[in-house]
């Protein structure tokens, strides 16, 4: 069985750095973070999207 590149421990570490008050990512967001296939992410106006070239 292939090993996950981004493990649950990695997601927990990111939560600790990025989120306040011991908050956690929901299941959908954690799954998105660990999925290394090409995905489209739609963001609402004002979410500070940037185009990188």
């Amino acid at each position: 069985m292939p090993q996950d590149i981004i493990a649950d421990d990695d997601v927990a570490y990111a939560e600790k750095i990025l989120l306040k008050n011991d908050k956690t990512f929901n299941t959908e967001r954690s799954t998105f973070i660990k999925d290394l296939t090409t995905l489209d992410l739609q963001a609402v106006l004002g979410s500070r999207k940037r185009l990188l070239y």
Side-chain angles (χ1 to χ4, degrees):
M1 176 176 245
Q3 186 177 10
D4 291 334
I5 293 175
I6 301 174
D8 291 334
D9 289 344
D10 299 319
V11 175
Y13 181 68
E15 290 170 336
K16 189 174 165 184
I17 293 170
L18 299 172
L19 303 178
K20 297 178 181 178
N21 302 326
D22 295 324
K23 301 277 184 182
T24 59
F25 297 131
N26 62 23
T27 304
E28 182 180 15
R29 189 169 305 242
S30 294
T31 302
F32 182 85
I33 291 168
K34 295 189 318 184
D35 188 352
L36 297 180
T37 60
T38 301
L39 296 172
D40 290 329
L41 174 64
Q42 293 186 8
V44 298
L45 290 173
S47 62
R48 300 190 159 252
K49 301 176 290 291
R50 304 262 190 235
L51 291 176
L52 301 175
Y53 294 96

